[in-house]
Amino acid sequence: MFVMLGDTGMARMMSGAAPAVTPLTLQAVPARLPAGVISFVVRNMGLHTHEMVVLPLPDGRAAGRRETTGDGRVDEAGSLGEASASCAAGSGEGIAAGAAGWVTLDLRPGRYELVCNLRDHYVDGMHHLFTVS
Ligand SMILES: [Cu+2]
């Protein structure tokens, strides 16, 4: 499972000009994998620190619709794991610009949402639906 985290730094490189709105992105391929042991390799292509947290997504709920609290983060209750360390597995202080993190999880069939839960990154677009079948 390959996950790319991006922000305005990447857009500037591609377009040659800084966009007016900061696009934060979290992309992942493939969109669906069979149940079992899944390794997430998470690459930060942006200029800012990011992370990836795996949250369960209940049926009927769309990605990107979680409520954020006053600190601009979503509730991580039920988290199955995260990649938030630079050049290391598991959780840490975030994946620095240009670095990668990784985590290996044993996932049951279901819908999951990959999110970056640094302040305001979720509402700015860092969420992605991922299905385990
Ligand atoms: Cu982020």
Side-chain angles (χ1 to χ4, degrees):
M1 181 79 181
F2 292 94
V3 182
M4 269 208 319
L5 311 176
D7 55 43
T8 186
M10 190 170 63
R12 189 182 297 128
M13 277 192 297
M14 292 189 301
S15 69
V21 178
T22 303
L24 297 183
T25 60
L26 192 161
Q27 305 289 334
V29 290
R32 177 185 292 265
L33 278 174
V37 176
I38 297 172
S39 289
F40 295 81
V41 177
V42 185
R43 186 91 202 253
N44 183 357
M45 308 290 283
L47 287 181
H48 304 280
T49 297
H50 296 291
E51 66 176 8
M52 183 210 69
V53 182
V54 182
L55 300 176
L57 185 64
D59 285 342
R61 293 259 308 271
R65 299 286 166 79
R66 291 173 198 269
E67 293 198 3
T68 55
T69 52
D71 65 353
R73 296 163 198 263
V74 299
D75 186 357
E76 290 190 15
S79 165
L80 294 128
E82 63 185 78
S84 57
S86 295
C87 304
S91 62
E93 299 298 306
I95 301 172
W102 54 90
V103 65
T104 299
L105 303 172
D106 191 355
L107 295 180
R108 301 168 172 221
R111 299 165 76 241
Y112 298 89
E113 186 173 12
L114 312 178
V115 313
C116 176
N117 208 16
L118 300 191
R119 185 184 184 95
D120 293 337
H121 287 198
Y122 182 84
V123 291
D124 284 345
M126 297 194 78
H127 47 76
H128 190 87
L129 170 65
F130 170 56
T131 303
V132 174
S133 53

